[in-house]
Amino acid sequence: MTAAVTAMITAVVGVLGTLFAPVLSQRLTARQRAEEAERAERRRLFEERRAAYTAMNRASRQFHTLLKDALHRIRDGVYTEQERDQLEEARRDYRDRYAEAQMVVPERVLEASRAVNVVLAGIDAEVKRLDRGLARDGESPEQALADLKEAEPRLSAMRRLMRGDLGIVD
């Protein structure tokens, strides 16, 4: 190769490098932006799921606690309108959090939440019947309290699944 050919090849490579540098830079920048957007979306979805878990855990435990309180107060004959209103508010909040979670949580967590819901909804209906004096055969505050204990391991199982889904391990 002669010096002229070498100089020509060097010039062509230099020109091509100059022409393609902005294109390569733009592609790298676009790839970085796409990766950053993907990370931000994963983080947003994680935060949404965590918020749903937190709200559902809080609401289900509050509903459970108020059901237990209602049964004790019905048993003792001191259940008031204010307590009925509190229980109804907790039930509505629980229902809303449960509905929100159905849209963002994995099926295994929904299965656990359904197991909790079966117990809480059943006891809520029983509390209402007991409060109205329309108890079915075998229904009593004492029996309902015993049945409500079934929710406790289900609440714990649901919480463990939620924590596991969020990457929290003990």
Side-chain angles (χ1 to χ4, degrees):
M1 255 200 260
T2 66
V5 172
T6 304
M8 180 73 82
I9 292 174
T10 302
V12 169
V13 169
V15 169
L16 288 175
T18 302
L19 292 175
F20 285 119
V23 173
L24 289 174
S25 176
Q26 182 181 13
R27 291 191 84 177
L28 286 174
T29 301
R31 183 181 297 160
Q32 287 173 337
R33 284 186 186 144
E35 289 171 358
E36 188 176 302
E38 186 178 321
R39 277 193 304 272
E41 179 65 8
R42 279 195 312 265
R43 183 69 183 169
R44 185 190 66 77
L45 292 173
F46 175 84
E47 291 299 330
E48 184 178 80
R49 210 169 57 249
R50 184 173 64 121
Y53 287 164
T54 300
M56 193 162 80
N57 186 56
R58 181 196 48 76
S60 59
R61 290 186 178 279
Q62 177 69 2
F63 188 33
H64 176 266
T65 298
L66 290 177
L67 283 169
K68 188 186 307 182
D69 292 348
L71 288 166
H72 283 290
R73 299 193 58 82
I74 288 171
R75 180 195 61 204
D76 298 341
V78 293
Y79 194 47
T80 67
E81 194 61 37
Q82 178 183 357
E83 290 155 339
R84 286 179 191 93
D85 291 344
Q86 284 178 325
L87 180 58
E88 183 60 19
E89 184 179 327
R91 185 193 67 77
R92 285 185 188 134
D93 184 48
Y94 168 72
R95 180 200 60 205
D96 292 346
R97 299 311 136 233
Y98 182 77
E100 289 170 1
Q102 288 177 322
M103 298 298 112
V104 297
V105 304
E107 189 61 34
R108 67 185 177 281
V109 175
L110 282 179
E111 289 171 10
S113 69
R114 281 187 207 108
V116 169
N117 191 51
V118 165
V119 175
L120 297 181
I123 298 298
D124 183 52
E126 193 170 343
V127 164
K128 288 178 175 140
R129 287 191 299 273
L130 289 166
D131 184 37
R132 294 178 183 133
L134 302 172
R136 295 178 180 165
D137 286 340
E139 287 185 340
S140 69
E142 293 80 10
Q143 184 58 50
L145 282 164
D147 294 342
L148 185 58
K149 287 190 181 293
E150 190 178 325
E152 293 168 11
R154 294 176 187 208
L155 283 164
S156 294
M158 182 180 71
R159 186 188 69 241
R160 274 192 307 278
L161 282 171
M162 290 174 178
R163 288 171 54 89
D165 187 49
L166 294 174
I168 302 166
V169 292
D170 292 333

